[in-house]
């Protein structure tokens, strides 16, 4: 059965993969997770952009970070562009962080940072969170190719 797989799997691939999916927030029954795993190891193309997977590591299990429910098997690029990914910052706003800064009277600023394909496509500091949100939203609207 494993002879028809596009890539060779390591000895504990199945166990480690399923544990990692649960740790990252997938909330499904064991039976459904088994079905998702079987589908993922046989998938040859991203379900969103259609690009062929070149390696086993390019495949990602996409799920809703709010409900924990499975959506698709996608490539890393499509998975990174999902709009509901959890964000690790201190403002609760995607791509915006509050940082200390001597350049601003109040001692801090709001920094907008968006990175695509390992390159910064937007880095800007503002005095207010409202201004940062406005700049971020305008950038997203003007550059939809980064957020497909």
């Amino acid at each position: 059965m494993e002879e028809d797989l596009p890539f060779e799997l390591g000895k504990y691939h199945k166990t480690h993969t399923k544990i990692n999916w649960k740790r990252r927030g997938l909330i499904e029954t064991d039976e459904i997770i088994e079905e998702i795993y079987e589908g993922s190891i046989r998938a040859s193309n991203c379900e969103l952009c259609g690009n062929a997977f070149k390696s086993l590591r390019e495949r990602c299990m996409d799920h809703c970070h709010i409900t924990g429910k499975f959506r698709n098997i996608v490539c890393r690029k499509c998975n990174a562009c999902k709009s509901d990914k959890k964000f690790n910052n201190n403002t609760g706003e995607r791509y915006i962080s509050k940082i200390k800064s001597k350049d601003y009277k109040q001692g801090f600023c709001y920094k907008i940072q968006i990175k695509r394909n390992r390159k910064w496509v937007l880095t800007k500091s503002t005095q207010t969170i409202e201004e940062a949100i406005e700049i971020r939203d305008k950038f997203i609207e003007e550059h939809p190719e980064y957020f497909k």
Side-chain angles (χ1 to χ4, degrees), residues 3 24 28 37 49 60-61 65 71 80 99 105 112 114-115 121 127:
E3 303 84 42
R24 290 183 179 134
E28 296 285 3
Y37 176 79
C49 69
C60 296
M61 177 276 306
H65 286 261
R71 288 191 289 222
I99 61 170
K105 203 185 277 188
I112 309 146
I114 300 176
K115 194 176 199 178
V121 294
Q127 189 167 347

Side-chain angles (χ1 to χ4, degrees), residues 32-76:
I32 291 176
I33 290 175
E34 181 68 28
E35 288 176 28
I36 294 167
Y37 176 79
E38 290 300 321
S40 77
I41 62 172
R42 286 176 172 62
S44 57
N45 295 67
C46 173
E47 293 178 10
L48 294 180
C49 69
N51 289 339
F53 295 122
K54 295 181 181 115
S55 71
L56 188 59
R57 294 193 51 87
E58 274 189 30
R59 301 156 195 248
C60 296
M61 177 276 306
D62 175 35
H63 68 290
C64 176
H65 286 261
I66 297 165
T67 66
K69 295 297 180 184
F70 171 77
R71 288 191 289 222
N72 306 92
I73 299 299
V74 298
C75 66
R76 287 188 177 275

Side-chain angles (χ1 to χ4, degrees), residues 46-141:
C46 173
E47 293 178 10
L48 294 180
C49 69
N51 289 339
F53 295 122
K54 295 181 181 115
S55 71
L56 188 59
R57 294 193 51 87
E58 274 189 30
R59 301 156 195 248
C60 296
M61 177 276 306
D62 175 35
H63 68 290
C64 176
H65 286 261
I66 297 165
T67 66
K69 295 297 180 184
F70 171 77
R71 288 191 289 222
N72 306 92
I73 299 299
V74 298
C75 66
R76 287 188 177 275
K77 183 177 180 182
C78 287
N79 195 44
C81 292
K82 293 302 245 179
S83 63
D84 73 340
K85 285 184 81 93
K86 291 181 182 174
F87 30 87
N88 300 320
N89 64 33
N90 52 7
T91 64
E93 290 290 339
R94 189 156 179 78
Y95 308 118
I96 302 173
S97 297
K98 183 178 177 180
I99 61 170
K100 290 181 182 180
S101 175
K102 295 176 185 174
D103 297 335
Y104 290 85
K105 203 185 277 188
Q106 72 264 29
F108 63 86
C109 68
Y110 294 93
K111 188 158 192 172
I112 309 146
Q113 295 180 302
I114 300 176
K115 194 176 199 178
R116 291 292 183 263
N117 298 325
R118 299 185 197 139
K119 293 180 184 174
W120 293 108
V121 294
L122 176 65
T123 58
K124 186 162 179 73
S125 299
T126 66
Q127 189 167 347
T128 66
I129 188 75
E130 293 81 12
E131 186 181 2
I133 291 169
E134 185 179 325
I135 292 168
R136 176 206 56 197
D137 291 349
K138 185 177 179 187
F139 181 84
I140 290 171
E141 186 179 309

